[in-house]
Amino acid sequence: MGEINHFLHQEHSLKFIEDMKKDVVRVNIGEEDNAKKKDVVYCVGCLEPIEGGSAYGCILCHCFLHKTCAEPTPTINHPLHPLHPLIFMLHIYEYFYCDSCGDNVISKGKVYLCEGCNFGVCLKCGVAAVAAIALKEEASVKLQHEGHPQHTLTLQLRSGTFRCDACHTIRRTTCFINVIVVTSGSTSLLVNASSKLNVIFSDDSSGTSFVEEGVHEFLCFPMSDEFTDPLKLIHLEKKVSLGDDEGATEISHWSHDHPLILNVEPRGNNMPNISCGVPIEVCNGCVRPLSLPYYSCKHGCSFTLHKYCAELPLTLKHQLHPHHSLDLVNTYGDEYYYECDGCFSKGNNFVYKCETCKFYLDVNCGFLPNIIKHNSHKHPLTQVIDPNSGCKACNCESTGISFACKACNFQLDMFCAIQSPHFLTHRYCKGHEIPLTYPPVEDHPEDFYCDICEKEMHPKRPLYHCNKCKNSFHQDCINRIDIFANVKVDGTRTTSYHKHPLTFVRRKKTSSYVCFGCNLDINGRFMLECRTGTCPYRICYRCYLYGFE
């Protein structure tokens, strides 16, 4: 342990230093400056400060390594990539993106990498994962904390955002938490009595990664129906696992001039399910159906926010835009709609924005999980940005968010992976639930055609197939891409093609609910309708915006 040769400093051997705080300050910066102690010693492996304890170093060259960085494990198993081990190796890229913390390692150096899947983590995250796994294997780690003496706290290795009850800071990391088993059910209630943990398992401020312990815990797609909101499920999962309380009953929020009050009881059409025919009330942040708990304007404005949307971080790091942080802004009232660079939907509410690059990412895309499970593939899929690989479901290339299994050369774009639900309905099938089906389709002729566009169906691509009516539909024929999914407009408009004023609304109706302009499904979509009571006229927002006669 006294002296080692290391690839990061080949000029000289590195000597073991027992006490960095004492020995390095005395030897390196000199006795005359010792009282000032202004120099900060950084590890050349993980680029983090070495604040004390033992390390390896070359005093002549001012080159130092944490002991853990100097003695890395050759291969590790990482929970973000459970299928294959990660190998400790030299990366040769100008920029290396860490799939755990989201940071870019600019200089060439050693990382943990799975070359077949193009998945890698920086040295810091690799060492942290090894340390956390070692802690877990020892047994259930317990802690007695003076701030919560009535219960023993247990190490919660599953990373998540939480507010520490000791220092009151909000972080995304592992934590110590009080676990109380509820005897009336099979679930465990996690009470937020946390203490900060120095071993960081995945301190992921980007919001794109969720540390998972097994494939069965990944968010699974496709969702059951078109009204299921993945962002809501992600935040509900975090709330259950972290024991989040109901929050402040009244807050001031940067996006609204008046105080907001917390609603925890059902009111009107927002809980628990959306009734058929009732207008859908949406959140002013994510523009998705409102659900409890949520904040509303104390003074009666028609302004509402999901509790989790009110608590969104003001800055975000994301792999779609690694060179700059993104700022959370409210674009409502802007002259033009933004276009999300993750899903290409237009919007006019909350969005993460890089002003320098005019880059936009809506809050739904910004917090998609890093890994998902999809019924069309046997392995978990990792979030990627890869325009060179086409989607296996629709054969289209996308510069936005996709989900891929690199080992199998399998990739799904945003529409096919996230936005296509398991069941849809259509007026051709009398309201039957039409499942998303993967080839081969039983009892179907070799050559068959879509019942909407009447074009031939590809025999090896997913499709919607009604088992009762034997009708088949292309994914994008029955489930249009809603490019105005993030648009919220209130009030009425007058048009030249209808004699009555038209009102902006969203409704969940039957499968026969179609646009009078394009004759396409309008169920749950943003539209305008006549509310005279005697006229059934309605058009989708696309037909209204782009002109319809």
Side-chain angles (χ1 to χ4, degrees), residues 450-469:
C450 172
D451 285 277
I452 293 178
C453 70
E454 298 182 352
K455 294 181 180 179
E456 189 172 0
M457 309 284 289
H458 195 289
K460 294 184 178 181
R461 292 179 187 164
L463 69 153
Y464 283 93
H465 177 67
C466 180
N467 296 314
K468 295 180 180 180
C469 301

Side-chain angles (χ1 to χ4, degrees), residues 9-54:
H9 188 69
Q10 299 179 2
E11 293 85 354
H12 309 105
S13 61
L14 302 181
K15 295 182 179 180
F16 182 71
I17 303 170
E18 185 68 33
D19 190 341
M20 284 288 294
K21 186 173 290 187
K22 179 180 68 176
D23 296 339
V24 172
V25 168
R26 174 168 48 81
V27 175
N28 191 55
I29 67 176
E31 294 292 346
E32 67 278 5
D33 297 325
N34 188 35
K36 299 179 181 179
K37 295 183 180 180
K38 291 183 178 180
D39 282 11
V40 178
V41 179
Y42 288 91
C43 172
V44 296
C46 66
L47 307 181
E48 291 294 313
I50 305 178
E51 298 176 347
S54 59

